[in-house]
Each structure stands twice: as structure tokens, then as C-alpha cells.
Amino acid sequence: MVALLHPDLLINLTLRDLRSQYKRSALGWTWSVLNPLVAVVVYSAVFSLFLRIRPTVGDPSGLDSYAVFLLVTLLPWQFFVTSLTGATRAITSNSSLVTKIYFPRWVLPTSAVLARFITVLVEMAVLLVVVALWEGHIAFQWIPVVLALMVLQLLFTVGLALMISAANVYFRDIQHFLNVAMQPWMFLTPILYPLNLVPSDRQLFGISYRTIYQLNPMVSWAKAYRNVLYDLRFPSAERWLGIVVATVVVLALGFRVFNRLEPRMAEEV
Amino acid sequence: MVPPTPLSAPGGPASPPAIAMDGLGKKFRLTHDRNWTLKATLLAGHRTRYEEFWALRDVSFDIPHGSTFGIIGGNGSGKSTMLKVLAGILRADEGTAVANGRLSALLELGAGFHPELTGRENIYLNGAILGFTARDIRKRFDDIVSFAELDQFIDEPVRNYSSGMYVRLGFSVAIHVEPEILLVDEVLAVGDLAFQKRCLERFDRLRDEGRTIVVVSHDLDMVGWLCERTAWINRGGLAAIGPSGEVIEAFVEGGEEAGDPVSGAGLLSLGGLGPDDLVRSVDLLDANGQALPSATSGGPVTFRVRYDAARAGETVIVALGLYRADGTHVTSINSGASSAAASSDGPVEVDYHLSALPVQPGTYELSVALHDSTMKKVFERHTHLVRFSVEPGDGDHQTGLVALGGTWQARAGGT
């Protein structure tokens, strides 16, 4: 069973992505810290200072900080986006490998996601420590829950990455479509603002806006991350159910689609 | 990947063959406009229009365990497609191809290397892609490095490697995977002579250990020398199979009937040139630059090789090898530095002019190779590319190998 997962191949390809990512750049790994840092400064200025969006006050933590409110969802979101954009080209950009050597192709998009996962693990750890020192907001006892959420998000992302990377071999429009889709997707997820700003009293075809809004599976993750790391509260059973169902469905569908599209990949890539 | 299994004993008649092909067929889709966009597909309402082309059809034969097996055929005959199907890269559309044992394919050396990573990191990466665990690699690491002669450079990024170092490392990793079945596609001619010799020694050792080696090559001499049995693939089907000598003979003769000339000069192409080859044409010309169907012993002749200099991208040295039809090597010559000036963006013509062709009448074959300026790397090698006849000249009759072209003089008296 373990051999089926090709751990050595996954590890080596993940290391390849991680090692080559910042080769020949002067700042190297500093870039992976600079990126969320710049984002949090810009978003805080625009949304907190100019648009005056108030973060919800953490319950029961009592925390009231837009930067922390933002970062606990922004980091997982950036992991999601960079994983998908990286994984889209995972097969097409490795065409020399795919056409010359046989190995299970699913490891290509999966290792692309894994490399970003390692990065976000480090980022989240740094975030917890900085927030603890800065705000005195101790979330360490919640680490197992955060890890569970992150692993589920990893599996969900792998499922999507499998679908997208395989489809992109046949339709190169996918990679462009993805770039277009990620921006609205971010704004339709409660990352920059709290969920309670989405109206629940206005309706579309008899269904409230907030209900429709919550069909987006990323809403569940954003809300759950915020529960654990900002409110210091265990996410509701409803959230967990949404997360687990989305993960299982997308992962199973991902492998199914990938296996269907795999046989002719070497010809089309 | 196939999990490592203990090496089975060299096959008796009862043991299953290393590779069994049964009614194997593989088709490709030739799309005329490669407009694979979502929009085009949606607007067309169905899949993009394409023509089907069977690169392989109805091929059935077995490759026994512990044998060295050659696959020959002209360009585009389907032999590389067959290798890719056997390697699992392409999926058969018809029939089956079953490999019994751990299989490794050498289709392109260093295909999995990442230029920014060091040689050391790439060994682990490439090994993992070929199905090795980190522990397997660690055990063989020193052997891999010393076989590739890269001890000094192993912690350098491979983008700094010369092309020779690059393929040596690729070959070394692949050969140390120690598969039960090794598929090799035209990758033996790498590195310098000493390295090639060690590669062939390694093949001998693999063979002695009872492993199965399948070699696809244009180099008939090498196939004949290395392989016990050979299959000749022609137009996607099995044309002949049997002991290498017989099959190669049949192929060389069959090439006369099936082969289409490289140019209109009446030259006979044996191997043929594909659209991807750098060499575009080979011609025989008379003194006025007119294409000749054949040459004349003792007469003037020019060998003209046209190649695509734009795609070669660097200075190319053209080498010609002249063989008699019975395989006797007459001579090999290369253009050396004299053609170095002739690098350009388009096709380049290289002429080798002889004022008197110094060979006896008969049938001859010409091999053409393109090297880089150091002669270390071979861009392309077309062995026995064209066949032409040399007609008797005006002079007296002679026999043997060469036409000396001397003159007789008889004088009365003397001192």
C-alpha cells in the first residue's frame, strides 16, 4: 500500500520543486516571507484603513486585529492558489519526462502541491509564533486541529490539481482560465472580510445569498481556520462535515478524471 | 512501476518470455490544424477532426528471457513506438504487450535532470523516477559517479555540465538501475570511445547476468554484433524475425525494393531520412553540378550533403564513410575545420570533391554523420544511408579494391 504511493518519487520531486524554486535568486527563501508580508500590508491598508472593514472580535479569544484576522485565512488561501497554478503546468512543463520515461504521472501535480504545502507549514508556524509574541494570543494548543484542517485542504487541493493538470494537457485554455478564476474566487471567500457581511436576509430564487455563498467549499475552510486560530474555538460539526465531504468528493473525482485522461497523455503533451 | 522482484532464472522453454506481444496495435491521431482549444472543441460540437494513423498494427512476437534482442527498421517504421508501448509510455490501442519482470527504458539520457540541481541531487531524482528508493541509490551512488567519471563535478549544477558529461551521468544512473529487461533506443553512441567501450562492457555483463536487453538501432553493425536475434519492423508490421545476421541481410536487401530515393538522383536510400533529421539530402554530382545516378571509377565526382544548419545551432563537421556492399570499410573522411565557416541560418551544402574516384566498379554505400566541432558529440549518424553503383571507367581493366589511376608508359630501348 505504501509502495503504491511512491514515497521516494514524491519526496524527490517535491524536493526538486523546493530546491529549484529560489535557485539563483539573491534573496532566496526570503521571498516566500515577503510575499504574504506585502499582501497583509496592502490589504490591511485598503480594507481596514480605507474601506473600514471591521474584523469580528474573536470569541472567546477577544482578539481584535485585522492583520491576524486576515493572515490566518490568507496564508492557506495563497497555498491553494499557488498550488493550483503550479500544478496546472505540472504535466505540460515536464513533457520531456512524460514522453521518455514511464512513472505514475499523478505524482507530478501531487508533488507540485506538496512543495507548496511544506512552504505554508513553515509560514503558519512563523505566524503562530509572531502573533503569540506580538499580541499575546496563544493558539498553540490548537495546533493538532490546524494540522487536521491543513491536511484535509492538502487532499482537497491535490484532487483539484489532478483534474486541472490532466485537463490542461488536452486543453491549454485551462491554465489561462485558472488565472482568471482565482481572483473572483478569492473575493467570494471570507478572507478579506467576515462572513457576516454577506447578506442572509436578501434572496435569489428563494434562497438567501449567504446560503448560495456557502456552496463554495473554501468558505468552510476559511471559517474553520478563523475559528481555530483567531477565535480559539473548535469549528462546528457542520463545518467539519462540509470540509470532509468536499475533500472526499474532490479527491475521488480527481483520481477518476486523472486515470481517464492518463493513457494518451504522452501523445498529447 | 514494477516492484523489484528477484531475478528469475534464464528462461527454459517453460518459463514465460520476457516480453510477449500479441496483436499489438497503436494508432496516432494526426490533427491537421492543432487547434486544441476549448473553444474550438465546443464550437465543433465534437472532437477535433483528425486522421487515424496506425504506427503499429497486428504485431505478435516474443522476446525470450536472457537474450539480447535487436529491433531494426527504417525511420518511421514504428520501432520506437513499439519501444514506448513496451515501456508503458504509450498505451496500446489493440492487442497486448506484456513484460514479465522489472523493466527500464533508456529512451533519452538524462531526460529527468533538472538543470539547476547538482549532479548529486539529480542522481537521486532520476533514480526515483526510474523506480529506485533513496536507499537503493545510496548503495550505488559511488558506482554511478565513478562510472560517469564525474567525481569532481558531482556537486555542480548540471547546467554547467558539457553535453558529454550530461549523457554520461544519465547513462550511468539508468544502467545502475539493474532492470531485468532493459530497453535501449539509439543511446549507445554517447561519450568518447573509452566511455562507449565501457558501456558495451556493461551490456555484456548485464547479458551474462541473464538480463534481457532490447536494442533499437539504425546501426546494423552494432545490432549484428550485440544481438543474437533481431526483428525487422516495416511500416508498423513485423517483416522478419530470426537470427540477427539473416534478418539484417533481409533488411538490407528488402531496403532496395521498399526504399525510396533520398533525391531524384537515382540514389537508393537504405535507412531513409525522416522530417526531423538534420541531414536533408545526399547527392552525387558530376563536374557541372548535375546530379548523377551513379559514379564512374576514375571519374570526377562530388558528394554533396545538405543539412539544416539552423536547427543544428552550432558548427557542424560532416563525416562520410564509404563502404562496399559487402560491408568492407573503404574509407572515412570528415570535413574538419574547412566547413566551419559554413554555419548559417538555413540549409548548408557541404561538398566533397574528388577529381578521380579511386575505387573499383561495384556497389557502394555511404554513411553520413554530423559531429560538433570537437568531434566528441554526434548529432546524427546515418549508417549506410545511400547506395550507389560505380560504373567502369574508360581505362583498362583492373581488379581489387582501389583504382590507382596511374598511367602506363612503354618505351623502346631504355638503358
Side-chain angles (χ1 to χ4, degrees):
Chain A
M1 186 61 208
V2 177
L4 273 180
L5 290 173
H6 302 281
D8 284 283
L9 186 50
L10 271 179
I11 291 168
N12 271 289
L13 285 170
T14 305
L15 284 177
R16 176 189 73 164
D17 281 10
L18 285 172
R19 281 170 177 156
S20 58
Q21 197 172 6
Y22 295 112
K23 278 268 163 93
R24 289 213 266 176
S25 73
L27 290 180
W29 281 92
T30 322
W31 284 114
S32 91
V33 179
L34 273 178
N35 190 14
L37 208 65
V38 169
V40 82
V41 168
V42 171
Y43 286 136
S44 296
V46 173
F47 289 90
S48 181
L49 219 59
F50 307 163
L51 293 177
R52 293 174 192 265
I53 286 179
R54 302 295 309 152
T56 47
V57 176
D59 172 26
S61 71
L63 189 66
D64 185 5
S65 155
Y66 185 77
V68 180
F69 175 86
L70 172 64
L71 271 170
V72 297
T73 50
L74 185 66
L75 291 183
W77 173 261
Q78 286 188 335
F79 154 66
F80 183 66
V81 175
T82 53
S83 291
L84 288 189
T85 45
T88 319
R89 290 173 173 83
I91 290 170
T92 47
S93 65
N94 282 300
S95 61
S96 65
L97 263 183
V98 172
T99 55
K100 299 294 182 208
I101 306 177
Y102 176 74
F103 60 98
R105 280 76 167 86
W106 63 265
V107 298
L108 285 173
T110 306
S111 63
V113 176
L114 270 177
R116 272 77 177 186
F117 187 69
I118 305 290
T119 315
V120 76
L121 276 181
V122 175
E123 289 171 357
M124 290 293 268
V126 171
L127 174 70
L128 283 190
V129 173
V130 169
V131 171
L133 294 174
W134 193 269
E135 302 268 357
H137 175 78
I138 309 292
F140 296 126
Q141 70 272 32
W142 291 98
I143 286 177
V145 185
V146 180
L147 281 177
L149 281 174
M150 289 178 74
V151 168
L152 285 166
Q153 193 194 349
L154 169 70
L155 296 176
F156 175 81
T157 311
V158 165
L160 248 136
L162 285 171
M163 278 184 247
I164 292 173
S165 63
N168 192 49
V169 173
Y170 299 88
F171 303 106
R172 302 296 160 99
D173 298 53
I174 301 277
Q175 61 200 40
H176 307 295
F177 169 77
L178 195 75
N179 289 339
V180 174
M182 290 322 276
Q183 191 76 358
W185 198 348
M186 177 177 175
F187 282 100
L188 290 174
T189 305
I191 293 166
L192 300 164
Y193 52 86
L195 177 61
N196 60 24
L197 288 188
V198 181
S200 57
D201 49 350
R202 306 242 310 259
Q203 294 192 333
L204 192 70
F205 306 122
I207 312 164
S208 80
Y209 277 117
R210 194 180 295 180
T211 309
I212 296 171
Y213 181 89
Q214 297 201 53
L215 290 177
N216 167 13
M218 293 315 285
V219 173
S220 297
W221 264 285
K223 203 56 192 139
Y225 279 118
R226 201 159 273 157
N227 281 158
V228 178
L229 290 170
Y230 187 78
D231 303 333
L232 301 183
R233 177 150 55 91
F234 198 76
S236 67
E238 195 187 336
R239 293 269 169 249
W240 283 108
L241 187 72
I243 284 171
V244 170
V245 168
T247 303
V248 170
V249 168
V250 168
L251 190 62
L253 201 65
F255 270 100
R256 216 187 131 82
V257 169
F258 197 86
N259 287 337
R260 282 284 294 275
L261 295 177
E262 189 180 2
R264 294 206 311 115
M265 257 177 206
E267 292 161 49
E268 300 289 347
V269 73
Chain B
M1 255 156 287
V2 187
T5 46
L7 202 62
S8 50
S15 71
I19 291 172
M21 280 171 266
D22 186 21
L24 187 65
K26 175 71 204 169
K27 68 182 172 198
F28 288 108
R29 291 166 177 182
L30 305 175
T31 40
H32 293 297
D33 51 334
R34 212 197 128 79
N35 200 3
W36 279 96
T37 60
L38 202 57
K39 184 179 142 204
T41 307
L42 291 178
L43 288 181
H46 53 86
R47 307 285 303 212
T48 318
R49 285 192 306 166
Y50 53 80
E51 255 178 58
E52 282 184 353
F53 162 73
W54 286 89
L56 277 181
R57 196 89 198 250
D58 201 22
V59 176
S60 305
F61 66 91
D62 291 350
I63 297 177
H65 255 297
S67 65
T68 342
F69 196 92
I71 296 176
I72 57 173
N75 282 328
S77 58
K79 55 192 190 318
S80 290
T81 303
M82 177 183 288
L83 216 56
K84 284 190 173 181
V85 173
L86 294 179
I89 296 164
L90 298 175
R91 194 72 56 99
D93 292 304
E94 269 181 8
T96 53
V98 181
N100 296 304
R102 182 188 162 103
L103 181 147
S104 172
L106 275 180
L107 300 187
E108 187 180 296
L109 296 172
F113 286 171
H114 192 289
E116 293 296 335
L117 301 183
T118 67
R120 181 186 302 275
E121 289 164 341
N122 269 307
I123 288 176
Y124 282 94
L125 173 63
N126 212 240
I129 292 170
L130 294 171
F132 257 3
T133 65
R135 188 149 38 109
D136 293 333
I137 299 274
R138 216 169 294 131
K139 261 194 297 187
R140 293 164 176 85
F141 187 83
D142 292 337
D143 291 341
I144 293 174
V145 176
S146 63
F147 189 85
E149 301 171 319
L150 287 170
D151 307 71
Q152 281 175 277
F153 307 104
I154 202 62
D155 289 312
E156 286 281 313
V158 299
R159 71 182 144 84
N160 294 339
Y161 282 18
S162 72
S163 52
M165 291 157 80
Y166 197 88
V167 290
R168 284 208 310 267
L169 188 63
F171 189 89
S172 185
V173 176
I175 207 80
H176 283 85
V177 174
E178 295 179 355
E180 286 171 61
I181 305 164
L182 182 65
L183 309 179
V184 186
D185 188 5
E186 294 289 6
V187 288
L188 287 170
V190 300
D192 52 20
L193 272 176
F195 187 74
Q196 284 188 21
K197 192 158 160 274
R198 278 193 298 136
C199 293
L200 292 174
E201 282 168 9
R202 193 42 99 103
F203 276 112
D204 280 345
R205 214 177 93 191
L206 290 174
R207 182 171 50 183
D208 294 344
E209 287 167 352
R211 299 172 203 275
T212 311
I213 303 174
V214 182
V215 178
V216 166
S217 183
H218 284 123
D219 191 340
L220 299 178
D221 294 339
M222 202 200 61
V223 171
W225 178 72
L226 199 66
C227 304
E228 298 142 31
R229 289 168 66 77
T230 294
W232 167 22
I233 306 297
N234 189 26
R235 291 180 187 157
L238 182 65
I241 184 169
S244 296
E246 293 171 22
V247 174
I248 289 172
E249 204 174 309
F251 170 63
V252 171
E253 281 164 15
E256 286 186 54
E257 294 148 32
D260 36 5
V262 166
S263 65
L267 295 179
L268 222 40
S269 155
L270 297 178
L273 291 168
D276 293 338
D277 289 326
L278 292 175
V279 176
R280 299 315 317 155
S281 67
V282 177
D283 287 303
L284 298 190
L285 306 172
D286 67 11
N288 300 322
Q290 294 300 308
L292 287 171
S294 61
T296 307
S297 175
V301 67
T302 298
F303 297 99
R304 173 168 292 174
V305 177
R306 290 179 83 239
Y307 68 89
D308 192 340
R311 278 197 300 130
E314 57 181 291
T315 309
V316 165
I317 291 180
V318 177
L320 299 176
L322 188 64
Y323 296 82
R324 280 201 335 201
D326 64 4
T328 307
H329 181 199
V330 180
T331 183
S332 284
I333 40 192
N334 72 64
S335 61
S338 56
S339 76
S343 60
S344 84
D345 296 340
V348 165
E349 289 178 352
V350 175
D351 288 354
Y352 181 63
H353 178 70
L354 287 164
S355 50
L357 181 64
V359 295
Q360 290 293 330
T363 306
Y364 288 84
E365 287 172 4
L366 197 64
S367 299
V368 178
L370 301 182
H371 299 264
D372 72 345
S373 54
T374 62
M375 293 295 288
K376 288 236 171 74
K377 187 174 148 199
V378 181
F379 291 118
E380 272 180 30
R381 176 175 288 148
H382 301 279
T383 49
H384 311 286
L385 180 65
V386 290
R387 174 179 280 206
F388 60 97
S389 65
V390 173
E391 306 296 339
D394 299 331
D396 56 307
H397 291 287
Q398 21 180 350
T399 54
L401 275 176
V402 296
L404 294 174
T407 50
W408 295 100
Q409 208 170 20
R411 268 193 307 273
T415 45

